[in-house]
């Protein structure tokens, strides 16, 4: 359930009084409040005037209808000179806690904002504190579009909002294609798809189809508003690049630690590229879902491959042990291969798409596992453990096979020949790697 800012107005049936509280957001569709005359016997077929209010609450119950009517009337009166502005409507909701209160907020369709009858604390609204009015307005813009998405059926079609949305999608596509640190929440392909869908609405531009068009525009605008708010769009210190401040964040996590150094050494320093990538993804503590999904998809594929390879190594070790070729290296290799299989399966399951489906899921997980002093370095070591264990088990298996081959040889020349055939290709490969720029790939 998405969050929404809303205030509460306390209702006394004879004398309404305004109070601020927080919002409950769950609005299935629009409803226009219609009061009744005493002579109508509580039937809703003889309206006297229409109140500009929407609510998810059914007015079938007379007491509920009376409370909603009095709340809407009081809130309209509180508008003062703005009562005649038909672009302002009221959202009303009665919570199920049994209290004599109505949740409310004003919806300003001209300025595309929400507001309340009087100054209200952001704490009471369930919002974080704000240092500037601009930042508060940025947060409430998303709440406005959430409201429009939930109450689309009585809304008109905004051509200017759709045209600006198409412009934003076009810019987002170009930004994604030309900048590795694009702050656009969608890929260039997704931006093109959204633009194409919006264009198709022109072929069914009838009154009965307007709500579908409004919902689509509002949902995309709500997502854009949220990303703009996170990146402080339009404010004095906007975040123009996803990788802005990356170097400083990277260095802040590289505190000296014997435990971390030992873990990186055990993983043959293979954890450092993973740490660098995790740092870029978590830079600014903002989650871009599509980048994290790509990272975890690749990680899960690698863990599966390492698990399968380790299982093959473990099977080979088991065959050697079963056929009487027992040695310490073979048993250690089997143990490490088994551990690699187990850890790979655990990591794959713990980081499945189902568990980390949304940006809040990913954000909550990273904040939970992030180390206070060393940031994401411990996590990068955990992610790289299957790599190291598989490498160690493979090397130990090679050693076991070499020892078995040497035991069957009698002359020194034969032993040296086997050893050279065993190690010479690996040595040549390492020399070639170093001579063709392998050093430039190392991390400091």
């Amino acid at each position: 359930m998405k969050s929404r800012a809303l205030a509460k107005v306390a209702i006394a049936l004879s004398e309404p009084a305004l109070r601020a509280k927080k919002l409950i957001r769950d609005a299935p569709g629009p409803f226009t409040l219609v009061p009744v005359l005493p002579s109508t016997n509580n039937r809703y077929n003889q309206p006297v005037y229409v109140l500009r209010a929407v609510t998810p609450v059914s007015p079938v119950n007379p007491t509920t209808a009376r409370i909603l009517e009095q709340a809407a009337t009081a809130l309209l009166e509180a508008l003062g000179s703005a009562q005649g502005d038909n672009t302002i409507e009221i959202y009303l909701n009665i919570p199920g806690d049994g209290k004599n209160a109505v949740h409310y907020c004003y919806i300003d369709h001209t300025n595309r904002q929400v507001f309340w009858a009087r100054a209200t604390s952001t704490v009471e609204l369930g919002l974080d504190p704000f240092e500037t009015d601009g930042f508060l307005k940025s947060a409430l813009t998303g709440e406005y579009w959430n409201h429009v998405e939930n109450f689309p059926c009585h809304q008109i079609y905004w051509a200017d909002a759709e045209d600006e949305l198409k412009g934003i999608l076009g810019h987002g596509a170009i930004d994604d294609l030309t900048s590795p640190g694009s702050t656009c929440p969608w890929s260039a392909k997704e931006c093109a798809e959204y633009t194409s869908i919006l264009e198709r609405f022109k072929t069914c531009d009838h009154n009965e189809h307007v709500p579908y068009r409004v919902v689509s525009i509002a949902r995309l605008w709500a997502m854009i508003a949220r990303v703009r708010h996170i990146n402080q769009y339009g404010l004095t210190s906007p975040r123009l690049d996803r990788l802005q401040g990356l170097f400083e964040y990277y260095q802040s996590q590289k505190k000296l630690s014997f435990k971390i150094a030992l873990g990186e050494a055990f993983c043959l320093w293979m954890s450092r590229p993973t740490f660098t990538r995790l740092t870029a993804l978590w830079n600014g503590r903002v989650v871009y879902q599509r980048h994290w999904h790509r990272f975890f998809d690749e990680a899960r594929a690698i863990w599966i491959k390492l698990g399968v390879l380790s299982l093959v190594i473990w099977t080979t070790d088991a065959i050697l042990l079963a056929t009487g070729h027992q040695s310490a290296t073979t048993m250690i290799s089997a143990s490490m291969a088994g551990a690699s299989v187990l850890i790979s399966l655990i990591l794959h399951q713990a980081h499945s798409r189902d568990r980390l489906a949304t940006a809040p899921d990913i954000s909550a997980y990273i904040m939970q596992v992030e180390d206070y002093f060393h940031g994401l370095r411990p996590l990068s070591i955990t992610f790289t453990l299957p790599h190291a264990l598989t490498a160690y088990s493979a090397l130990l298996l090679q050693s076991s096979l070499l020892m078995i081959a040497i035991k069957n040889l009698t002359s020194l020349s034969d032993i040296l020949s086997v050893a050279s055939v065993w190690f010479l290709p690996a040595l040549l490969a390492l020399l070639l790697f170093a001579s063709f720029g392998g050093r430039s790939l190392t991390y400091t």
Side-chain angles (χ1 to χ4, degrees), residues 96-173:
D97 55 10
K99 296 181 180 179
N100 193 26
V102 176
H103 290 179
Y104 88 97
C105 70
Y106 293 105
I107 310 298
D108 183 354
H109 290 294
T110 299
N111 298 307
R112 292 171 185 165
Q113 278 292 324
V114 298
F115 65 98
W116 294 267
R118 65 176 181 84
T120 304
S121 169
T122 56
V123 176
E124 292 182 289
L125 297 174
L127 299 174
D128 295 330
F130 296 93
E131 295 181 0
T132 64
D133 292 340
F135 202 52
L136 176 59
K137 181 179 179 181
S138 173
L140 296 180
T141 300
E143 301 299 335
Y144 166 80
W145 287 111
N146 284 336
H147 171 83
V148 173
E149 180 185 348
N150 286 316
F151 294 90
C153 295
H154 67 295
Q155 307 290 354
I156 62 173
Y157 161 66
W158 299 290
D160 60 331
E162 182 175 333
D163 290 340
E164 185 179 359
L165 180 60
K166 291 177 183 176
I168 293 171
L169 291 172
H171 172 264

Side-chain angles (χ1 to χ4, degrees), residues 211-243:
Y212 303 110
R213 197 171 187 176
V214 170
V215 165
S216 304
I217 294 171
R219 181 170 297 180
L220 293 176
W221 262 115
M223 297 175 69
I224 290 172
R226 173 168 172 76
V227 173
R228 285 181 167 185
H229 176 66
I230 290 173
N231 292 308
Q232 302 188 28
Y233 175 86
L235 301 179
T236 55
S237 301
R239 189 168 179 259
L240 303 177
D241 193 290
R242 187 172 57 88
L243 304 180

Side-chain angles (χ1 to χ4, degrees), residues 162-178 182 184 186-196 198 224:
E162 182 175 333
D163 290 340
E164 185 179 359
L165 180 60
K166 291 177 183 176
I168 293 171
L169 291 172
H171 172 264
I174 297 298
D175 194 36
D176 180 63
L177 291 172
T178 59
S182 171
C184 181
W186 305 297
S187 65
K189 181 180 178 181
E190 289 172 324
C191 289
E193 290 176 349
Y194 290 145
T195 304
S196 176
L198 292 175
I224 290 172

Side-chain angles (χ1 to χ4, degrees), residues 287-346:
V287 170
Y288 282 81
Q289 184 173 302
R290 61 190 179 97
H291 297 295
W292 278 97
H293 279 172
R294 186 184 303 121
F295 170 79
F296 282 124
D297 288 344
E298 294 173 3
R300 285 191 295 269
I302 292 174
W303 290 329
I304 286 295
K305 293 177 182 178
L306 291 173
V308 171
L309 179 58
S310 296
L311 184 60
V312 172
I313 295 173
W314 182 88
T315 303
T316 306
D317 289 328
I319 293 173
L320 291 178
L321 293 173
T323 55
H325 299 290
Q326 298 178 353
S327 66
T329 55
T330 305
M331 288 187 286
I332 296 174
S333 174
S335 177
M336 287 190 165
S340 178
V341 172
L342 181 61
I343 294 175
S344 296
L345 291 175
I346 292 174

Side-chain angles (χ1 to χ4, degrees), residues 33-109:
L33 287 177
V34 180
V36 297
L37 295 175
S39 60
T40 61
N41 196 24
N42 293 329
R43 294 178 183 176
Y44 294 88
N45 56 359
Q46 297 183 23
V48 177
Y49 57 90
V50 177
L51 300 175
R52 298 192 307 273
V54 292
T55 177
V57 180
S58 172
V60 174
N61 184 287
T63 302
T64 300
R66 185 167 60 251
I67 292 175
L68 290 172
E69 177 188 339
Q70 293 190 356
T73 302
L75 291 169
L76 280 174
E77 292 175 353
L79 286 173
S81 60
Q83 289 187 48
D85 189 349
N86 292 327
T87 64
I88 297 177
E89 67 183 27
I90 305 168
Y91 172 87
L92 298 174
N93 191 20
I94 299 178
D97 55 10
K99 296 181 180 179
N100 193 26
V102 176
H103 290 179
Y104 88 97
C105 70
Y106 293 105
I107 310 298
D108 183 354
H109 290 294

